[in-house]
């Protein structure tokens, strides 16, 4: 994925954090991220349904990811005091189900947002 592209997306994360700071609800950051990404010319969708197939049949129609940018980059937003590596595994599952190459887990409940952005790469991505 193009570095300039990811740089611009992460710039939106930094701007939201700069404007709102830590400690708010995840849903507030989600709405702010949508607005900021749209201002910067990205196509963004939120609460996107992720079809889960098992042996050729959809078994879970309710699974939703937080944000998908231009149908190619997933943002999983958190506002938690204790970060867990499990969030990255969850994002990897979303990346594989949606056939996206890259995503970020972003924990807005942070003293320094740069320390709480976690890239996740899908090694099974097929362009």
């Amino acid at each position: 994925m193009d570095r300039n592209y990811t740089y611009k997306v992460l710039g939106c994360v930094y701007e939201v954090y700069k404007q709102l700071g830590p400690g708010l609800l995840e849903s507030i950051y989600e709405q702010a991220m949508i607005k900021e990404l749209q201002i910067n010319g990205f196509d963004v969708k939120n609460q996107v349904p992720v079809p889960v197939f098992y042996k050729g049949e959809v078994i879970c129609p309710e699974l939703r990811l937080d944000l998908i940018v231009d149908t190619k980059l997933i943002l999983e937003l958190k506002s938690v005091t204790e970060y867990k590596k499990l969030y990255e595994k969850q994002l990897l599952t979303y990346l594989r189900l949606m056939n996206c190459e890259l995503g970020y887990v972003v924990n807005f409940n942070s003293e320094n947002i740069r320390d709480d952005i976690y890239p996740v790469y899908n090694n099974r991505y097929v362009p």
Side-chain angles (χ1 to χ4, degrees):
M1 185 167 293
D2 181 70
R3 291 183 86 138
N4 288 330
Y5 178 83
T6 57
Y7 182 80
K8 286 181 181 179
V9 171
L10 293 177
C12 294
V13 172
Y14 300 141
E15 181 62 19
V16 167
Y17 184 79
K18 179 178 145 190
Q19 294 297 319
L20 297 178
L24 300 174
L25 296 173
E26 181 182 310
S27 59
I28 295 170
Y29 294 113
E30 183 175 320
Q31 292 304 309
M33 282 299 304
I34 292 166
K35 180 84 170 154
E36 190 61 33
L37 288 161
Q38 289 172 339
I39 288 169
N40 283 278
F42 293 102
D43 177 42
V44 60
K45 292 181 178 42
N46 68 314
Q47 296 304 310
V48 176
V50 180
V52 178
F53 290 88
Y54 182 76
K55 295 190 175 184
E57 194 173 311
V58 176
I59 60 168
C60 182
E62 300 93 28
L63 183 64
R64 297 188 177 273
L65 59 84
D66 289 340
L67 299 174
I68 189 162
V69 182
D70 297 328
T71 67
K72 63 182 177 180
L73 185 142
I74 297 173
L75 295 174
E76 184 62 27
L77 307 180
K78 301 293 179 195
S79 184
V80 295
T81 54
E82 186 179 323
Y83 183 82
K84 298 179 180 174
K85 294 293 275 182
L86 178 63
Y87 302 143
E88 293 170 47
K89 292 177 189 266
Q90 175 189 19
L91 177 54
L92 180 57
T93 299
Y94 291 164
L95 291 168
R96 288 179 176 162
L97 290 170
M98 299 297 287
N99 192 39
C100 290
E101 180 181 7
L102 174 64
Y104 292 95
V105 178
V106 179
N107 183 18
F108 280 99
N109 198 17
S110 171
E111 290 185 31
N112 182 348
I113 192 67
R114 292 181 194 273
D115 296 335
D116 280 298
I117 299 174
Y118 305 88
V120 178
Y121 297 91
N122 177 6
N123 60 358
R124 296 184 192 165
Y125 170 70
V126 179

